[in-house]
Amino acid sequence: MRTPTAVAAALTLALVSAVGVAGCGGAERPRVQGPAPTASPANGPVYASDAMGRPLVRPANFPFSEFAGLTHVKWRNWGQPKAVGTGELSASWCSPECDYPTATIELTRLEHQENVSYYTRATVVSPKVEREYEANVRSVHLYVPEP
């Protein structure tokens, strides 16, 4: 003969099992529809800090380091993951006889903050930069203020 406690335990186990199977919605799984999210341009203004740490937007004159800068810069793709500009390179290591007619600058590595973004890396390419000075313009870290 079964005891009332054993019968109650068996009934409770059967009830919990029935609710567990029926109450979970069966084998249906959630479906994801639509395209996957894509990277979007930054929200708010996008800046590049000059050598003094001043935030600039599409600067026509851009001293990107203490040694070099670009003048007469024309920008493409500002605000995108990579902004590209062309301008005239000037550098402190260059005597007045140096001739850097044009250079290309790429700003990359956007860092998003609350309502603004900053480019954090500048790369300048000019075919006339001497090999010994390429490191000064090849990969320059740009200042980003604390959020």
Side-chain angles (χ1 to χ4, degrees):
M1 178 170 205
R2 294 187 179 172
T3 63
T5 306
V7 172
L11 286 174
T12 302
L13 181 61
L15 181 63
V16 169
S17 296
V19 169
V21 171
C24 290
E28 188 175 325
R29 295 180 181 207
R31 292 186 309 201
V32 177
Q33 295 179 334
T38 58
S40 61
N43 291 330
V46 176
Y47 298 104
S49 295
D50 67 5
M52 300 297 291
R54 294 177 296 216
L56 305 172
V57 176
R58 290 182 178 265
N61 298 308
F62 186 48
F64 57 87
S65 79
E66 62 184 295
F67 304 109
L70 289 170
T71 58
H72 310 292
V73 183
K74 305 289 187 227
W75 293 99
R76 297 183 311 271
N77 303 325
W78 190 272
Q80 299 298 312
K82 178 168 58 171
V84 179
T86 55
E88 297 174 15
L89 178 64
S90 61
S92 62
W93 65 79
C94 186
S95 67
E97 296 84 36
C98 290
D99 180 26
Y100 295 132
T102 59
T104 301
I105 184 169
E106 292 182 355
L107 302 180
T108 56
R109 298 186 187 173
L110 270 177
E111 181 177 307
H112 303 288
Q113 294 185 356
E114 290 179 13
N115 295 320
V116 299
S117 298
Y118 285 86
Y119 289 108
T120 64
R121 182 72 55 196
T123 302
V124 177
V125 177
S126 177
K128 296 208 174 189
V129 172
E130 293 84 9
R131 186 174 209 70
E132 62 190 284
Y133 300 116
E134 281 183 345
N136 292 332
V137 297
R138 195 47 90 176
S139 183
V140 178
H141 174 74
L142 300 175
Y143 171 77
V144 175
E146 294 291 324

